[in-house]
């Protein structure tokens, strides 16, 4: 079997690389090799536990990709020989001209005693595993979720909506500690507590206790034991890169595949995109552990377009982490670096922050409070980061602020943005939080 382009992995990065490659180079043959017959929309996984009717409502359709002429092979790749340019599964050998690693990531399992007990679960992007664990999770009354990043928070919120007694444990001092500063985390915390969630921040897990091989509780380092019929580990994900490392590709930090700005690896004709590839911070160019579907599809578009020569020139270098989530009706978003990270990285900064109602007049139905926090560089007032907590518009607002970061906009640029408002859709023009938040910093720059 021989293909012009072989892509290992068929989730966010693999599918969009294939689609982009086929549209940009229609004469080239493209094959996706992936392990799973059915794949899930990864970001939808927390919602299979309550908001969606069933796990099957979260399947990722591949018919549009197949219709473009992309072929699929459902097998696990076991070896890549870069000399003969061949990919091996247990049954098939495939020759390639260009190869793309889009092998993604798998959950990190911490070395805590008791993680292998019955009733301790991870959240992989795996249809069969998740379908199986939904049963014991739905039968559990007391659930402990370990790790208050986005996945832990979303899982906890969903399980509360199922009426479970849920405790969320986080070693750091706040929920969503990497995305938000303390003040915005506090808004999220209040929202979670109002949904009946028990939150234990600043608490480290010592071990998971069990009886007859089945989980019974979670022991914290402070001596407390939390009762648990089920435990969910959401400590993070690690790049799935053994195959690439065995093939001799150069690895970057955190065991992710090193690439240049065009997703080219250290081996000619081999690319890497998505969670398995190394990402660099937009401002510091340090390696980050950033793993997002939006970043994976961004990598994939760059890869697919540039497989046969650099056609799509990237103006930006490095990645801006842009997250959003909805927690018990409160939408939150973060882009760029937090105030805490900016300080620890040695940036001189200025903060702008404003809260108003996201509709106008303020007593209109369906309104909610909108807080926008902007982190600017101290001297030039360049936007480094943004955090938003509001009604549903947070998802789009944070994307716009992410674009402002990417474009190097300053507080003055933001204050002089021309924007539209409407009573049923946005905050009032007189107190549009994203603009007013920038005003004090712009004033400092202009008027000393
Ligand atoms: C619960 C959850 C919620 C999330 N929510 C969000 C969100 O709201 N927003 C957001 O931006 N991101 C979110 N993410 C992150 C996002 O899911 C990942 O960044 C994204 O899935 C990365 O896509 P990928 O294609 O790089 O890798 P993956 O999705 O991990 O896919 C890897 C693919 O490679 C295949 N593969 C691996 N090894 C082999 C092999 N040897 N042979 C054949 N096939 C192989 C796998 O089978 C799979 O098809 C979430 C993740 C999780 C787990």
């Amino acid at each position: 079997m021989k293909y012009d382009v072989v892509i290992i992995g068929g989730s966010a990065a693999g599918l969009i690389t294939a689609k982009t490659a086929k549209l940009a180079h229609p004469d080239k043959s493209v094959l996706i090799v992936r392990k799973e017959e059915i794949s899930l929309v990864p970001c939808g996984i927390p919602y299979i536990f309550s908001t969606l009717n069933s796990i099957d409502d979260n399947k990722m359709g591949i018919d549009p990709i197949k219709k473009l002429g992309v072929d699929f092979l459902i097998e696990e790749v076991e070896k890549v020989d870069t000399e003969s340019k061949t990919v091996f599964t247990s049954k098939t050998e495939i020759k390639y001209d260009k190869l793309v690693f889009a092998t993604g990531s798998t959950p990190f399992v911490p070395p805590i005693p008791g993680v292998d007990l019955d009733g301790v679960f991870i959240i992989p992007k795996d249809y069969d595993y998740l379908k199986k664990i939904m049963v014991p999770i739905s039968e559990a009354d007391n659930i402990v979720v370990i790790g208050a990043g986005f996945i832990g928070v979303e899982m906890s919120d969903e399980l509360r909506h199922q009426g479970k007694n849920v405790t969320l444990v986080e070693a750091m001092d706040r929920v969503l500690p990497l995305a938000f500063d303390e003040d915005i985390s506090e808004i999220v915390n209040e929202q979670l507590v109002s949904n009946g969630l028990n939150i234990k921040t600043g608490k480290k897990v010592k071990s998971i206790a069990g009886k007859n091989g089945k989980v019974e509780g979670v022991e914290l380092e402070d001596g407390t034991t939390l009762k648990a019929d089920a435990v969910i580990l959401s400590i993070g994900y690690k790049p799935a890169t053994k195959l690439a490392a065995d093939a001799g590709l150069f690895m970057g930090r955190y065991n992710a595949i090193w690439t240049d700005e065009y997703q080219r690896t250290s081996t000619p004709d081999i690319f890497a995109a998505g969670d398995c590839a190394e990402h660099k911070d937009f401002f510091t160019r340090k390696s980050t552990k950033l793993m997002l579907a939006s970043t994976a599809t961004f990598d994939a578009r760059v890869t697919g377009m540039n497989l046969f020569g650099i056609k799509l020139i990237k103006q930006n270098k490095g990645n801006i982490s842009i997250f959003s989530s909805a927690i018990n009706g409160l939408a939150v978003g973060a882009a760029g670096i937090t105030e805490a990270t900016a300080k620890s990285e040695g940036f001189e900064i200025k903060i702008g922050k404003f809260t108003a109602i996201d509709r106008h007049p303020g007593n209109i139905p369906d309104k909610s409070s909108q807080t926008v926090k902007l982190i600017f560089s101290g001297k030039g007032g360049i936007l480094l980061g943004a955090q938003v907590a509001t009604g549903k518009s947070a998802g789009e607002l944070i994307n716009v602020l992410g674009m402002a970061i990417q474009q190097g906009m300053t507080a003055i640029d933001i204050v002089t943005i021309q924007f539209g408002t409407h009573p049923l859709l946005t905050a009032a023009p007189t107190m549009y939080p994203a603009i007013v938040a920038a005003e004090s910093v712009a004033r400092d720059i202009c008027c000393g």
Side-chain angles (χ1 to χ4, degrees), residues 34-334:
R34 72 176 195 187
K35 289 189 232 177
E36 69 283 358
E37 181 71 49
I38 300 171
S39 67
L40 293 168
V41 175
C43 316
I45 290 171
Y47 304 104
I48 64 176
F49 290 91
S50 178
T51 302
L52 289 169
N53 292 324
S54 101
I55 187 170
D56 293 304
D57 286 348
N58 191 42
K59 282 182 185 166
M60 180 136 63
I62 56 170
D63 285 350
I65 312 274
K66 280 185 172 166
K67 275 193 192 132
L68 291 174
V70 173
D71 290 338
F72 281 74
L73 177 70
I74 309 302
E75 286 176 27
E76 178 166 356
V77 175
E78 292 180 344
K79 190 179 148 198
V80 172
D81 179 14
T82 58
E83 288 292 311
S84 62
K85 297 180 92 172
T86 312
V87 163
F88 298 87
T89 74
S90 61
K91 298 181 235 163
T92 317
E93 282 185 29
I94 312 138
K95 296 254 181 230
Y96 63 82
D97 181 13
K98 309 284 176 187
L99 179 67
V100 182
F101 278 88
T103 45
S105 59
T106 53
F108 171 69
V109 179
I112 307 172
V115 283
D116 45 4
L117 286 167
D118 254 10
V120 179
F121 306 114
I122 48 173
I123 305 295
K125 293 159 264 182
D126 178 331
Y127 176 87
D128 296 327
Y129 176 90
L130 290 169
K131 192 164 183 164
K132 215 160 95 191
I133 69 166
M134 284 177 80
V135 178
I137 287 178
S138 72
E139 288 166 354
D141 292 325
N142 302 297
I143 302 178
V144 175
V145 177
I146 305 176
F150 272 99
I151 294 166
V153 164
E154 289 173 359
M155 286 294 301
S156 302
D157 194 41
E158 280 288 294
L159 293 169
R160 267 305 301 151
H161 284 292
Q162 253 198 24
K164 305 293 177 195
N165 177 25
V166 186
T167 306
L168 176 62
V169 184
E170 167 59 48
M172 289 177 73
D173 64 349
R174 56 186 187 277
V175 298
L176 302 175
L178 301 180
F180 294 111
D181 290 310
E182 215 175 315
D183 46 353
I184 308 293
S185 275
E186 190 48 43
I187 300 174
V188 177
N189 204 87
E190 277 169 24
Q191 197 69 13
L192 289 167
V193 170
S194 74
N195 188 25
L197 188 71
N198 309 308
I199 302 177
K200 306 245 174 232
T201 50
K203 301 285 176 196
K204 283 202 177 130
V205 172
K206 187 173 150 212
S207 63
I208 301 172
K211 198 171 168 190
N212 301 328
K214 169 93 183 78
V215 68
E216 278 203 319
V218 171
E219 293 173 355
L220 305 182
E221 280 189 353
D222 68 4
T224 332
T225 297
L226 306 167
K227 191 167 186 263
D229 314 310
V231 172
I232 294 171
L233 302 173
S234 56
I235 319 274
Y237 289 75
K238 55 183 175 31
T241 52
K242 182 169 183 313
L243 192 65
D246 289 349
L249 269 64
F250 182 60
M251 292 290 133
R253 210 166 161 208
Y254 306 123
N255 242 350
I257 304 168
W258 177 89
T259 70
D260 68 7
E261 288 295 331
Y262 295 95
Q263 305 306 130
R264 295 178 294 194
T265 70
S266 54
T267 304
D269 296 325
I270 302 188
F271 298 71
D275 285 3
C276 66
E278 189 183 25
H279 293 100
K280 296 267 169 67
D281 180 77
F282 190 74
F283 289 108
T284 62
R285 305 282 297 134
K286 280 187 179 171
S287 296
T288 74
K289 288 185 178 174
L290 181 71
M291 288 190 205
L292 285 171
S294 47
T295 309
T297 54
F298 165 79
D299 290 353
R301 290 186 181 100
V302 172
T303 306
M305 209 79 99
N306 292 327
L307 284 166
F308 298 93
I310 306 289
K311 297 180 169 58
L312 178 76
I313 302 291
K314 268 169 72 182
Q315 297 297 338
N316 64 312
K317 308 279 180 230
N319 294 96
I320 302 170
S321 0
I322 309 181
F323 306 90
S324 49
S325 189
I327 294 141
N328 193 27
L330 172 82
V332 288

